[in-house]
Amino acid sequence: MNDINESTLNTIPISIYAKFLSEGGLKVSGEELVKYLIELGYFNEGFTPKDKYIKEGYFKHSINYAIGTKGVLRYGLTQITGKGQILLVDKITKHFAKDLL
């Protein structure tokens, strides 16, 4: 997949990716998707992608801040890249489609 220019592919939050998959009939939540990615070895138990797969361009992870009523909130945001979507869609579909059969 070296011919895929990752800078031209969109990244989307894992939760939004799960929502798109659900709209396609798979009925998977963001949490279920992350748990499955942990099972596959792509994510750490801390619900963040492993550095190897960030470096390979499957995921992006950032720390963000928001101002709330209790002060500044710090939260992580994991996104799946277009490359990650392409490379993992078959595994994800096969795993979650078994519930439809």
Side-chain angles (χ1 to χ4, degrees):
M1 297 233 84
N2 291 336
D3 58 332
I4 295 176
N5 182 346
E6 124 181 34
S7 65
T8 63
L9 300 173
N10 293 329
T11 61
I12 57 172
I14 291 289
S15 60
I16 301 298
Y17 184 55
K19 183 177 179 180
F20 289 155
L21 293 170
S22 290
E23 289 173 358
L26 291 182
K27 303 298 181 211
V28 57
S29 70
E31 185 175 331
E32 290 170 321
L33 181 55
V34 170
K35 285 180 181 179
Y36 180 60
L37 292 172
I38 290 171
E39 285 178 34
L40 290 176
Y42 291 98
F43 274 50
N44 297 303
E45 292 293 326
F47 293 91
T48 57
K50 290 184 176 178
D51 289 340
K52 172 183 178 178
Y53 298 107
I54 292 173
K55 289 177 185 169
E56 288 182 12
Y58 289 21
F59 305 100
K60 291 187 178 187
H61 185 74
S62 60
I63 302 297
N64 298 301
Y65 299 91
I67 298 174
T69 57
K70 296 185 180 187
V72 177
L73 304 171
R74 181 178 182 256
Y75 64 95
L77 177 64
T78 299
Q79 297 187 336
I80 186 167
T81 65
K83 179 179 179 179
Q85 293 172 49
I86 291 167
L87 294 174
L88 295 173
V89 71
D90 285 340
K91 288 180 184 180
I92 292 168
T93 301
K94 286 176 186 172
H95 178 77
F96 289 102
K98 68 180 184 223
D99 296 333
L100 297 174
L101 302 175

